[in-house]
Amino acid sequence: MTNYQPIENYGVIGDLHTVALVGMNGSIDFMCFPRFDSPTIFGAMLDQEKGGHFRIAPLFEDVRHRQMYLPDTNMLLTRFLSAGGIAEVSDFMPVEEEGGHAHKVVRRAKTARGEVKFRMVCAPRFDYGRARSSHQAQLVEEGALFTSRGQDKTALRLRSSVPLHLHGGDAVAEFTLRAGETASFVLEDANNGKNSPCEAPHYEVEAFKDTMNFWRSWVRRSTYRGRWREMVNRSALALKLLTSRATGSIVAAPTFGLPEEIGGVRNWDYRFTWIRDASFTLYGLMRLGYTQEASGFMNWIEARCDELAPDGALQIMYGIDGRHTLVEETLSHWEGYRGSSPVRIGNAAFGQLQLDIYGELMDSVYIYNKYGAEISYDLWMNLTRLINWVCDHYTDPDEGIWETRGGKQEFTYSKVMCWVAVDRGIRLAHKRSFPAPLERWHEVRNAIYQDVYQNFWNPGQQTFVQHRGSKTVDASCLLMPLVKFIGPTDPRWLSTLKAIEESLVEDSLVYRYNTAHASSDGLSGKEGTFSMCSFWFVECLSRAGDLDKARFFFEKALGYANHLGLYSEELGPQGEHLGNFPQAFTHLALISAAYNLNEQFSRPH
C-alpha cells in the first residue's frame, strides 16, 4: 500500500470534457474517457496493479520532485532534480472548439540539464479495468493503437516521437535526451472518425501555445482584484476544469472512490451534478465576473426544472447530461486506494429526500435573475410548482445535506433552506410581478421561521442544534447567516457560532459533525475535517466582525492546500488530503470567504 501516491501529490489537467490526474512522479493515475462520468482508462489511484497508468519519468536513483502550474493556466510542469541532471515533463489537454477532435493528452519530456535517460509506459485498462483481457495493442506507423475488448469498444492512439515496443499489451519506450532535447507523446481518441490535427508538423508546440492562450485569456475575464487573488484564481481555474463544455453543468469532483478514511468504507462517486452546488456555483462564478459560465449552468438548471416529477419534486442530483438514474455498483475487482474498499461507481443518494436543495435552487435562481439575466415565464411556472411542493412537504424528515444513510430526521439546515426556497420565491414574484399564491407562501415562510426558533433551538445550550430533539451542533448551520436566515451578529447566532467552535473546530479545521454523538449516518468508521466547512467558518467570523481572527483562520486554511493550491474534500489527522479530489464545493467556499473577507477589510473602519 506504500506504493500509492498521497492524494495531495496530484495535479489536474483537463479539456472541459474530462480530466487527468498527474502525480509528482510523472504518472497519470486517473482518467475517465471521454467524459467525466465515463469509465476509466487509467485508474491506478484505485488499484495499482489493475487500474492502469501512463507514466513518463527519468531513470534517476535519487530524485526530488517539484510540480507547478504554468502561471494562470491548467498546464502542469513536473520537474525531477537529481545529481544526474534535471528533467521535466509538461502535461496539458488542448481545449478544442466545439465539434473538434477533442480528448487528447499531450505530454512532453525534456532535459533541462545533463543527459537523462527516460522511461515511458502507457498501460491503459479499459472500462474500469473490467474489459475481458483488457484490450488489444498493436504498433502502428505513428506509435501504438489500443482497442478495448469490452463493450465500450474504446480505441486510443498513442503518437510518439520516439520508437515504442509492446510489453504485455502496454506501450513502452526508453530514450535518452541531452540538455535542450525533447520527446513528445499524444494520447488521443482513435474512434473519432475525423482527421486528427495531431498529424500536422509541430502540433505539440502549436497546441501548447493555443492552450496557454486559452487559459490565460479565461483568467483575464475575472473581475476580482482583491486580496489572495492568486488562490482565488486557482480556485476559479479548478472550477472551470470541472465544468462540462457540452452541458454547462459542474461535477462535484472528477473522481470516485477516494476514501474519506484510509481503509474505510466512505468511498463515493462524485462525478455528478448536485442541485445543492447550484447556488454556490452561480454565486461564486458571478462574483468573479464569469457570467457566461453562470448562464450555461443556469440553462442546465432550467432544463432540470422542466423535468420535475408530477407532484413538483426535484432530484437532489443528476448526471452531467441531466440523466436521472445513477445506479450505484461496486467495482469488487479493485482493491481501492491504499486498500480502501468498496470502490463505488454511481451514487444511490440520487433517490434520497434532501429538502435543502429547494432552497439552494431558489437562491441560485434569485441571484441569477438579480445579477445575470431575467428568468423566463416558463421557468417561473415550474418554480411555482416546486415551491408549492415545498409548502406541502417542509415538515417531512429527510436525509439532509450530508446524505446520511442512517434514517431520516428533521434537520435544522433542511428546514432553514425550505424557508429560503419560499422566501426567494416571494422576492422573485414581487420583483418581477410574477403570478403566485403569495398569501399561502407568506404563511408557510412565517411558519417555518417560527418552527426553527421554537423547535430547533436548545435554550439550555444556547445553540441551534443538528436536528429536532438533538443536543449536538452541525457545521451546516454555518450557512444560516450566509443565506440571510439570521443576522451574522444576532445573539442567538453568536452563541451558536461559539458552540460550533467549541465542538467542531480544531484550530482552523472544522468537522461537519461529531460522528460519535450526532445523528447516525449509517456508516462505520471516522472522517476528517471538511475543508469547505473551514471556509464557511471563516466567512461567519468575517460577517460577525471578527476580522483579525477570520483572516488568521483563513490564511491557516489556505496553508492546507496542496502544492498547487488544490483541495480534496477532507483533511485527515496528519493534514493529509482525503476524499474525492479536487472538490468543487471547497473551492467555491474559498472564493466566497476570500471575497467577503476582502470586502470587509476594504471598508473604512
Side-chain angles (χ1 to χ4, degrees), residues 16 35 74-75 78 127 143 165 221 259 322 358 377 409 431 477 532 543 549 567 603:
L16 311 184
R35 304 193 323 175
N74 280 314
M75 305 168 74
T78 305
D127 190 24
H165 67 273
R221 286 173 44 205
Y358 297 93
Y377 168 81
Q409 296 281 357
K431 187 170 184 64
C477 288
M532 66 179 178
R543 289 174 180 264
K549 186 174 181 178
Y567 289 85
R603 291 174 180 167

Side-chain angles (χ1 to χ4, degrees), residues 78-345:
T78 305
R79 188 168 286 151
F80 304 83
L81 305 135
S82 170
I86 297 177
E88 296 177 345
V89 175
S90 58
D91 290 290
F92 65 96
M93 294 182 69
V95 181
E96 305 283 1
E97 295 297 327
E98 282 300 317
H101 195 287
H103 321 309
K104 293 183 290 292
V105 176
V106 180
R107 315 198 70 189
R108 186 164 59 173
K110 178 181 178 180
T111 295
R113 180 181 295 171
E115 185 174 284
V116 178
K117 186 175 183 180
F118 289 81
R119 179 177 173 85
M120 185 286 301
V121 179
C122 184
R125 300 292 182 266
F126 294 96
D127 190 24
Y128 303 109
R130 295 182 299 193
R132 192 166 180 263
S133 301
S134 186
H135 62 274
Q136 177 184 356
Q138 62 185 102
L139 295 179
V140 293
E141 182 179 356
E142 59 271 25
L145 185 67
F146 307 96
T147 307
S148 171
R149 289 195 172 106
Q151 295 181 350
D152 56 302
K153 302 299 181 185
T154 304
L156 300 173
R157 181 186 297 108
L158 177 65
R159 296 179 183 271
S160 172
S161 65
V162 298
L164 305 177
H165 67 273
L166 297 180
H167 179 75
D170 304 333
V172 180
E174 291 193 358
F175 53 97
T176 300
L177 301 175
R178 293 189 293 271
E181 293 182 337
T182 63
S184 60
F185 305 87
V186 181
L187 186 68
E188 64 175 344
D189 185 357
N191 272 337
N192 189 275
K194 300 179 181 179
N195 291 331
S196 172
C198 302
E199 298 171 359
H202 314 299
Y203 167 77
E204 295 83 2
V205 175
E206 293 302 318
F208 185 93
K209 293 177 183 176
D210 291 344
T211 306
M212 180 177 288
N213 289 337
F214 171 85
W215 288 116
R216 289 184 173 173
S217 295
W218 189 82
V219 168
R220 282 196 295 270
R221 286 173 44 205
S222 173
T223 57
Y224 185 77
R225 299 292 182 268
R227 299 165 178 83
W228 309 289
R229 186 177 171 190
E230 187 173 344
M231 285 298 290
V232 168
N233 283 350
R234 177 50 54 196
S235 290
L237 283 161
L239 290 173
K240 181 64 173 175
L241 272 183
L242 306 186
T243 303
S244 167
R245 194 171 201 176
T247 67
S249 59
I250 296 179
V251 294
T255 58
F256 63 89
L258 295 180
E260 297 176 13
E261 179 188 26
I262 301 301
V265 299
R266 301 167 184 260
N267 317 316
W268 313 110
D269 189 346
Y270 277 12
R271 298 171 300 159
F272 309 111
T273 301
W274 270 252
I275 294 295
R276 175 175 300 112
D277 297 4
S279 63
F280 301 98
T281 301
L282 284 169
Y283 200 32
L285 290 173
M286 295 184 70
R287 271 178 161 176
L288 303 183
Y290 290 113
T291 53
Q292 181 179 335
E293 285 74 15
S295 178
F297 200 8
M298 191 66 213
N299 290 338
W300 184 90
I301 291 171
E302 186 165 356
R304 305 294 75 75
C305 290
D306 204 34
E307 302 165 351
L308 296 176
D311 62 355
L314 190 71
Q315 281 191 193
I316 70 162
M317 59 191 287
Y318 298 85
I320 55 175
D321 58 358
R323 71 186 185 281
H324 290 223
T325 303
L326 310 172
V327 176
E328 186 174 300
E329 56 183 305
T330 298
L331 300 179
S332 57
H333 61 293
W334 275 2
E335 69 179 7
Y337 177 80
R338 292 179 60 189
S340 304
S341 62
V343 177
R344 299 180 180 91
I345 55 174

Side-chain angles (χ1 to χ4, degrees), residues 540-576:
C540 286
L541 291 173
S542 173
R543 289 174 180 264
D546 197 346
L547 298 185
D548 290 336
K549 186 174 181 178
R551 180 171 191 163
F552 180 60
F553 274 35
F554 181 66
E555 293 184 341
K556 294 197 81 172
L558 293 182
Y560 286 102
N562 82 341
H563 58 291
L564 298 168
L566 300 176
Y567 289 85
S568 63
E569 185 177 23
E570 301 182 27
L571 295 170
Q574 300 176 52
E576 72 275 21

